[in-house]
Amino acid sequence: MSRLPPATRDRLADEITFHPANAEARLLREALGRFATGVTVVTTTGPEGPLGMTVNSFSSVSLEPPLVLWCPARASARHAAFAGAAAWSVHVLGAEQLETCLRFTRGGRQFEGLESVLTPEGVPVIPGVAARFDCMAHAAHEAGDHSVLIGRVLRVTVAGPGDHPLVFAAGRFGQFEPDAG
């Protein structure tokens, strides 16, 4: 006798297993997309001025010392600027900031038309985000086709308690609706 609820039994009946080295990259990407993430924009000052990149590979690492990480693709034209930066800021986007997210994707408008505000370290910031982590570079590691950039958090700025994050899952953007109960 099965103790799994019916919806779970149906899901297991349709499950597939594959080895990522032998499967199409699309299958791995779709499987990873089952894990919902927040959406961030990481900013720094590069050789040619303010620079940003939309990122969903952001995570906490340690509370003591305060460390966070994110993972830019090594093939990105912006990779070298971020990997070599002494400081950067991670901006957690709010649910209403899809346009901000898109402006920092490949080919986006970046800082064009945005107010220019800098941290004491000279990093450009995006005002009005759900949270911001201003960081000094702590470590960088090659990891396959990406790099793992770890930063020591210098300052945190958090929006009001009613702000909700922009969420990315299964190739789509949305928002988290907290349970009213």
Side-chain angles (χ1 to χ4, degrees):
M1 174 173 197
S2 176
R3 293 184 177 195
L4 294 173
T8 303
R9 285 195 303 269
D10 292 343
R11 183 179 306 145
L12 293 176
D14 295 331
E15 77 179 10
I16 63 166
T17 301
F18 62 91
H19 190 284
N22 301 330
E24 295 178 37
R26 174 187 59 79
L27 290 175
L28 178 58
R29 187 178 207 75
E30 287 175 2
L32 292 168
R34 303 282 175 107
F35 183 71
T37 66
V39 181
T40 68
V41 172
V42 182
T43 60
T44 195
T45 299
E48 299 182 19
L51 188 63
M53 180 184 292
T54 298
V55 173
N56 70 344
S57 60
F58 168 68
S59 181
S60 64
V61 174
S62 170
L63 295 177
E64 189 54 45
L67 301 174
V68 297
L69 71 76
W70 67 287
C71 304
R74 291 177 41 215
S76 168
R78 296 170 275 183
H79 179 272
F82 281 104
W88 32 265
S89 292
V90 179
H91 303 77
V92 177
L93 300 184
E96 76 290 350
Q97 293 183 302
L98 180 58
E99 190 275 327
T100 300
C101 163
L102 298 177
R103 85 168 26 240
F104 291 98
T105 59
R106 183 182 9 227
R109 296 185 349 234
Q110 294 278 315
F111 283 93
E112 179 186 313
L114 287 183
E115 179 183 341
S116 180
V117 177
L118 301 176
T119 67
E121 297 74 35
V123 175
V125 299
I126 302 166
V129 296
R132 188 181 81 234
F133 301 86
D134 299 330
C135 303
M136 292 299 295
H138 180 76
H141 305 281
E142 286 189 11
D145 59 0
H146 283 64
S147 290
V148 178
L149 303 184
I150 300 173
R152 183 179 184 106
V153 179
L154 303 174
R155 276 178 309 285
V156 178
T157 303
V158 181
D163 200 23
H164 301 293
L166 181 62
V167 177
F168 184 75
R172 296 190 315 238
F173 294 97
Q175 67 182 43
F176 174 73
E177 292 292 333
D179 187 1

